[in-house]
């Protein structure tokens, strides 16, 4: 093949690709006509591309790859890929140790849960759309049940990574539970109606227990039937964790719902330290009198009292006192108004029944006044190991587990759950846990939310373009941004 230029009757130059067969000239393609030097040069470049794409003859000279040269008039954009984003999350999975399970599809489903949460089959379509990677549906059906056997290995990999990256040494764990509801009204042995933290009491749910490190990095999880009382999950999960990892010294931080006389006995029996919230409204009159006499009502003042649930550490805050007083006065006013119209009375805090008559509960009001601005915490940590200030600071860090739940529910869209059988539900939770681990690590290292990270990462795009001359697809690599370069540095990934 060769290029031929012919002068036309309109004083233009026609550019053609020709070849000779049986000594006769054959026009392979008429490229076009031009009058200016620039037009003719462009037509010659297009002709050269045509020859390169249709000729098997190798050049003895170093030539530019024709796929790297394209003309906008002869190209069509057929898609956008986020390969930099895929590279980052894949590298993080490798860092954490998720790649050792020899399941690229599982890893890619975890990636897609972070990038754009969807059903498993829809995620497979998005994996091809966003990253150009194809997975067979049959591969998912063949492998899904096998992945459930990876739960313990995955949690072991997470703990090993936490030890290396966050110096996790089992000294302290934050524990809490949440509920995830289903998009159905039918229950079974696992999906049960119970107290819903999502205000979906009419729909079945599961209870999910989560443990995080002091940084808020997820360490382990467990699921329970939806009607399980959250306090009943506490000891089984902690005890199982301690036995699996042969933990000798552990402090568990949890909210008030986890504490009970039975749980305290079991924690002490297992030689475990704890810091849990105290419901001061339930303390005895004797203990209330001690608190009232010994606690100075000054900002930041604390006391420590001995109880059968361990030491009760109480602190006072003026800001909290103002808020508590406002709420109390509002409830008292509401109670008094309702007593004027007995037929409209509902269950309200400061109303009680006495001799078949409804009256204002003055005893409870006096007790509430004593507790204005006071917050309590139970612990069995000796004062020489952790003073009152340390106990309070540790408990206040419980918000970090709430942050992890926020990521799981809002960003990873763990609920509502659309599965109906136990195995798919457990697989869904496994994928969500792996995604949560990666997401939280990204947040801790980049100091940006996972949504902001994804938004910024999607600015680095590769464009798939079809060259209409050669009918070949070209992938045009996008250039990294200043933010993407910063992310790579903070995540410790090669630039």
């Amino acid at each position: 093949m060769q290029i031929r230029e012919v002068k036309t009757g309109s004083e233009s130059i026609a550019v053609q690709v020709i070849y000779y067969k049986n000594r006769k000239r054959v026009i392979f393609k008429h490229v076009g006509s031009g009058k200016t030097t620039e037009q003719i040069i462009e037509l010659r470049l297009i002709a050269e591309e045509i020859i390169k794409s249709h000729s098997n003859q190798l050049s003895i000279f170093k030539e530019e790859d024709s796929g790297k040269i394209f003309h906008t008039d002869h190209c069509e954009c057929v898609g956008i890929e986020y390969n930099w984003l895929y590279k980052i999350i894949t590298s993080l999975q490798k860092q954490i140790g998720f790649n050792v399970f020899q399941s690229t599809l599982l890893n890619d489903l975890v990636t897609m849960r972070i990038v754009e949460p969807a059903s498993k089959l829809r995620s497979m379509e998005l994996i091809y759309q966003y990253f150009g990677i194809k997975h067979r549906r049959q591969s998912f059906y063949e492998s899904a049940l096998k992945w459930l056997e990876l739960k313990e290995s995955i949690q072991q990999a997470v703990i090993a990574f936490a030890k290396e990256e966050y110096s996790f040494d089992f000294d302290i764990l934050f524990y809490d539970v949440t509920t995830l509801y289903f998009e159905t009204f039918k229950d079974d042995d696992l999906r049960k109606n119970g107290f819903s933290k999502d205000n979906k009491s009419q729909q079945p749910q599961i209870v999910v227990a989560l443990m995080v490190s002091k940084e808020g990095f997820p360490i382990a999880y467990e699921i329970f039937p939806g009607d399980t009382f959250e306090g009943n999950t506490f000891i089984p999960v902690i005890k199982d964790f301690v036995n699996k990892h042969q933990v000798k010294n552990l402090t568990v931080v949890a909210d008030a719902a986890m504490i009970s006389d039975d749980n305290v006995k079991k924690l002490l029996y297992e030689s475990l330290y704890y810091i849990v919230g105290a419901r001061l409204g339930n303390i005895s009159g004797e203990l209330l009198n001690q608190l009232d006499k010994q606690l100075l009502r000054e900002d930041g003042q604390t006391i420590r009292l001995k109880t059968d649930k361990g030491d009760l550490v109480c602190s006072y805050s003026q800001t909290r006192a103002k808020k508590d007083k406002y709420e109390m006065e509002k409830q008292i006013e509401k109670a008094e108004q309702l007593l004027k119209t007995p037929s409209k009375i509902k269950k309200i805090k400061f109303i009680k029944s006495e001799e078949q008559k409804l009256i204002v509960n003055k005893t409870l009001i006096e007790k509430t006044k004593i507790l204005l601005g006071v917050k309590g915490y139970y612990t069995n940590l000796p004062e020489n190991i952790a003073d009152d200030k340390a106990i309070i600071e540790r408990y206040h860090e419980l918000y970090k587990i709430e942050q992890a739940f926020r990521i799981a529910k809002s960003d990873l869209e763990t609920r509502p759950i659309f599965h109906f059988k136990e195995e798919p539900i457990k697989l869904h939770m496994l994928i969500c846990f792996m995604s949560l681990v990666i997401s939280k690590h990204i947040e801790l290292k980049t100091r940006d939310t996972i949504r902001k990270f994804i938004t910024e990462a999607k600015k680095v795009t590769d464009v798939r373009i079809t060259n209409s001359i050669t009918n070949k697809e070209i992938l045009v690599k996008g250039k990294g941004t200043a933010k993407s370069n910063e992310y790579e540095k903070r995540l410790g990934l090669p630039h």
Side-chain angles (χ1 to χ4, degrees):
M1 285 187 180
Q2 63 186 65
I3 299 171
R4 178 173 180 251
E5 295 180 5
V6 182
K7 196 169 185 178
T8 67
S10 62
E11 300 299 319
S12 297
I13 300 296
V15 178
Q16 302 170 340
V17 175
I18 66 167
Y19 65 91
Y20 288 91
K21 185 176 182 180
N22 299 327
R23 297 185 180 181
K24 289 184 179 181
R25 184 193 306 124
V26 179
I27 298 176
F28 178 76
K29 189 173 183 67
H30 177 75
V31 181
S33 300
K35 289 187 177 183
T36 66
T37 303
E38 289 79 7
Q39 289 173 338
I40 295 167
I41 290 172
E42 182 181 354
L43 291 170
R44 284 189 63 86
L45 286 171
I46 295 172
E48 287 173 5
E49 280 197 59
I50 293 171
I51 293 171
K52 287 177 183 178
S53 65
H54 288 86
S55 174
N56 294 323
Q57 183 177 349
L58 297 176
S59 172
I60 62 173
F61 302 105
K62 184 178 179 181
E63 297 181 351
E64 287 292 326
D65 181 1
S66 63
K68 294 180 182 177
I69 303 171
F70 61 93
H71 307 273
T72 54
D73 291 344
H74 303 278
C75 292
E76 179 186 356
C77 178
V78 294
I80 293 175
E81 293 182 359
Y82 304 104
N83 293 312
W84 182 84
L85 174 56
Y86 182 79
K87 181 193 78 171
I88 292 295
I89 297 181
T90 301
S91 298
L92 292 177
Q93 293 208 49
K94 186 176 181 181
Q95 272 190 4
I96 296 168
F98 290 164
N99 65 314
V100 300
F101 304 112
Q102 302 299 316
S103 180
T104 306
L105 176 53
L106 175 60
N107 294 137
D108 287 350
L109 288 172
V110 170
T111 298
M112 208 65 243
R113 174 60 56 175
I114 298 169
V115 176
E116 186 173 320
S119 69
K120 308 305 177 289
L121 297 181
R122 172 60 179 158
S123 292
M124 291 169 70
E125 295 173 2
L126 291 173
I127 289 166
Y128 176 68
Q129 180 183 325
Y130 285 1
F131 312 125
I133 300 170
K134 270 193 173 180
H135 290 290
R136 293 168 48 247
R137 282 194 176 194
Q138 192 59 32
S139 298
F140 173 75
Y141 296 130
E142 291 170 356
S143 305
L145 289 179
K146 296 176 184 177
W147 294 339
L148 290 176
E149 301 171 5
L150 298 174
K151 183 189 172 190
E152 294 305 324
S153 301
I154 286 169
Q155 291 189 154
Q156 289 284 2
V158 169
I159 289 172
F161 178 75
K163 287 179 179 178
E164 182 179 347
E165 191 68 31
Y166 296 103
S167 302
F168 177 67
D169 60 0
F170 299 99
D171 59 336
I172 189 165
L173 273 178
F174 293 83
Y175 179 92
D176 203 356
V177 303
T178 192
T179 57
L180 302 177
Y181 67 91
F182 290 79
E183 202 59 74
T184 181
F185 291 93
K186 294 182 179 179
D187 63 359
D188 52 35
D189 291 341
L190 181 61
R191 301 175 302 160
K192 296 267 189 185
N193 289 84
F195 175 74
S196 172
K197 299 193 178 220
D198 295 314
N199 295 318
K200 298 284 184 177
S201 58
Q202 300 303 311
Q203 291 167 256
Q205 62 183 18
I206 55 172
V207 174
V208 181
L210 181 67
M211 288 182 283
V212 305
S213 70
K214 57 179 175 286
E215 295 82 15
F217 184 75
I219 297 296
Y221 76 98
E222 195 54 75
I223 64 173
F224 296 88
D227 61 350
T228 307
F229 171 60
E230 56 188 290
N232 293 343
T233 69
F234 189 44
I235 297 300
V237 173
I238 298 300
K239 186 176 179 181
D240 184 58
F241 184 83
V242 168
N243 292 338
K244 278 179 184 174
H245 305 289
Q246 298 181 338
V247 182
K248 295 181 180 178
N249 188 18
L250 174 68
T251 299
V252 186
V253 183
D255 69 16
M258 304 304 162
I259 198 67
S260 67
D261 292 340
D262 190 47
N263 281 354
V264 167
K265 289 177 184 176
K266 289 175 181 176
L267 286 167
L268 294 173
Y269 179 77
E270 298 293 336
S271 300
L272 296 172
Y273 291 121
Y274 58 87
I275 302 171
V276 295
R279 289 174 173 159
L280 296 178
N282 296 333
I283 63 175
S284 66
E286 182 183 348
L287 201 57
L288 182 68
N289 289 333
Q290 277 186 269
L291 187 156
D292 188 27
K293 290 176 182 177
Q294 295 180 28
L295 180 62
L296 291 175
R297 267 45 173 204
E298 294 178 5
D299 230 8
Q301 289 296 317
T302 65
I303 58 166
R304 185 180 286 229
L305 305 171
K306 297 293 181 182
T307 78
D308 54 359
K309 292 182 180 179
D311 290 355
L312 174 61
V313 176
C314 295
S315 67
Y316 179 82
S317 163
Q318 290 180 350
T319 304
R320 190 188 302 122
K322 288 179 183 177
K323 181 177 179 295
D324 291 347
K325 186 181 179 184
Y326 172 77
E327 292 294 332
M328 180 190 72
E329 289 174 346
K330 191 165 68 171
Q331 288 175 321
I332 292 172
E333 184 182 353
K334 188 175 180 180
E336 290 173 343
Q337 289 294 326
L338 284 172
L339 285 173
K340 295 176 182 178
T341 53
S343 60
K344 295 182 180 180
I345 284 185
K346 302 174 184 177
K347 188 176 180 181
I348 191 168
K349 185 174 181 179
F350 293 117
I351 291 178
K352 71 173 182 177
S353 177
E354 188 175 280
E355 298 178 354
Q356 297 183 342
K357 184 180 178 182
L358 294 174
I359 61 171
V360 173
N361 192 337
K362 293 183 178 179
T363 304
L364 182 56
I365 291 174
E366 290 305 311
K367 186 175 184 179
T368 304
K369 285 180 180 179
I370 292 172
L371 295 175
L372 291 176
V374 183
K375 177 75 174 174
Y377 318 86
Y378 285 115
T379 184
N380 63 337
L381 280 164
E383 200 165 358
N384 62 335
I385 294 179
D387 61 17
D388 295 353
K389 184 180 178 182
I391 296 297
I392 295 166
E393 286 178 350
R394 281 300 186 203
Y395 184 83
H396 286 178
E397 289 174 349
L398 197 59
Y399 77 91
K400 292 175 181 176
I401 201 165
E402 293 297 332
Q403 288 181 333
F405 283 140
R406 174 192 58 76
I407 295 172
K409 290 187 174 185
S410 300
D411 299 317
L412 304 179
E413 296 182 17
T414 53
R415 52 77 166 125
I417 303 174
F418 295 92
H419 301 294
F420 300 100
K421 294 184 179 179
E422 186 171 333
E423 289 84 1
I425 293 169
K426 289 182 175 179
L427 177 59
H428 173 72
M429 292 310 304
L430 180 66
I431 290 172
C432 289
F433 175 73
M434 295 170 72
S435 304
L436 177 61
V437 169
I438 297 164
S439 299
K440 192 61 190 179
H441 178 59
I442 289 172
E443 290 200 350
L444 288 170
K445 291 298 180 181
T446 66
R447 297 191 287 277
D448 281 340
T449 65
I450 188 62
R451 277 305 109 197
K452 184 175 180 182
F453 171 82
I454 295 298
T455 300
E456 291 292 335
K458 281 185 174 181
K459 293 178 182 178
V460 184
T461 57
D462 297 341
V463 184
R464 288 167 48 214
I465 295 175
T466 298
N467 188 330
S468 61
I469 299 166
T470 62
N471 291 322
K472 288 185 177 179
E473 189 176 290
I474 306 162
L475 185 67
V476 182
K477 290 277 187 181
K479 186 179 179 182
T481 64
K483 195 69 174 177
S484 69
N485 294 336
E486 181 187 335
Y487 282 153
E488 287 183 340
K489 185 177 179 181
R490 288 188 177 181
L491 290 167
L493 300 174
H495 180 60

